Amino acid sequence: MKKQTALIVMACFAGLLSYKCTTSTKTTPAADNTLTDLNGGYKSQAEWGHHLVAISGCNDCHTSKKMTDKGPVDDTSVMLAGHFAQGPVPQLLPGQVAKGMAATYDLTAWHGPWGHSYAANLTPDSTGIGNWTEEQFIACLRKGIFKGIEGSRPLMPPMPFAGINNMTDDELKAIFAYLKTIKPVSNVVPDYQPPAMH
């Protein structure tokens, strides 16, 4: 009886193996995964860039805020359009002098020992990055230079240059691709103002 049971089990196992070997299984070609592999797991470069912009906190400074009963929230109608010229300029209040830094409530303009700095317009409008090349964008963030132009001034605080400089070229390219898809906003951001000489 034990021999019969063993033979039945072996026959079932052999049948299962035979079925697995002769049944075609549909596999997804590696080429189908190539785009998501190249784009951080996202379907497109721009989608990956959207994710990177969201987790990097770019909106914190580059998007104006609306004040609500819950505090400031992003004004999505001008997303990533930077500081508006008609917006407030941060002033150091007496209690902040010791700290040496101040910002507007919407965090688009800052004042400190480096002078006055304003969040740039990152939209694809001509007043933003509309005329920039991908290489220029990467140079700006990799080298920390204004508009990615050799010989121009450095990027100013509070731009988190040290952190962004750790991004790969592919990540920076993805961010650039995403920024090219957002709504263009015409906004000429005020020029950086160096500290007043005493």
Side-chain angles (χ1 to χ4, degrees):
M1 186 71 164
K2 287 184 181 179
K3 286 183 181 180
Q4 241 179 349
T5 306
L7 285 173
I8 292 170
V9 170
M10 286 174 59
C12 289
F13 183 68
L16 181 63
L17 280 177
S18 172
Y19 174 77
K20 281 287 194 186
C21 291
T22 58
T23 305
S24 64
T25 55
K26 188 171 184 177
T27 56
T28 305
D32 288 354
N33 295 326
T34 302
L35 286 178
T36 55
D37 289 345
L38 290 175
N39 296 314
Y42 290 84
K43 291 180 184 175
S44 71
Q45 189 182 39
E47 283 184 29
W48 185 22
H50 183 201
H51 166 74
L52 292 169
V53 164
I55 65 171
S56 299
C58 301
N59 282 295
D60 291 351
C61 293
H62 290 276
T63 298
S64 292
K65 310 295 183 287
K66 293 187 286 191
M67 191 57 75
T68 72
D69 58 352
K70 294 181 175 69
V73 298
D74 289 348
D75 182 350
T76 56
S77 69
V78 290
M79 188 174 68
L80 297 170
H83 180 77
F84 285 83
Q86 66 271 24
V89 175
Q91 299 294 325
L92 282 173
L93 302 174
Q96 294 172 309
V97 172
K99 296 177 184 175
M101 188 169 72
T104 55
Y105 76 84
D106 69 353
L107 304 179
T108 64
W110 295 73
H111 174 79
W114 63 88
H116 286 288
S117 53
Y118 305 92
N121 181 350
L122 302 182
T123 74
D125 186 77
S126 60
T127 60
I129 63 164
N131 298 324
W132 289 35
T133 64
E134 184 181 75
E135 293 75 19
Q136 184 180 359
F137 184 76
I138 291 172
C140 175
L141 296 177
R142 180 73 64 231
K143 298 178 181 179
I145 53 176
F146 183 63
K147 294 188 177 182
I149 300 169
E150 290 295 337
S152 62
R153 67 165 172 82
L155 297 182
M156 292 294 149
M159 185 66 183
F161 169 66
I164 288 175
N165 193 37
N166 287 313
M167 288 184 169
T168 66
D169 282 355
D170 285 340
E171 288 171 325
L172 294 176
K173 288 176 182 179
I175 290 172
F176 185 70
Y178 166 65
L179 293 176
K180 288 292 193 171
T181 70
I182 65 176
K183 183 181 90 171
V185 178
S186 179
N187 175 37
V188 178
V189 173
D191 289 333
Y192 157 71
Q193 298 165 339
M197 302 299 288
H198 296 289

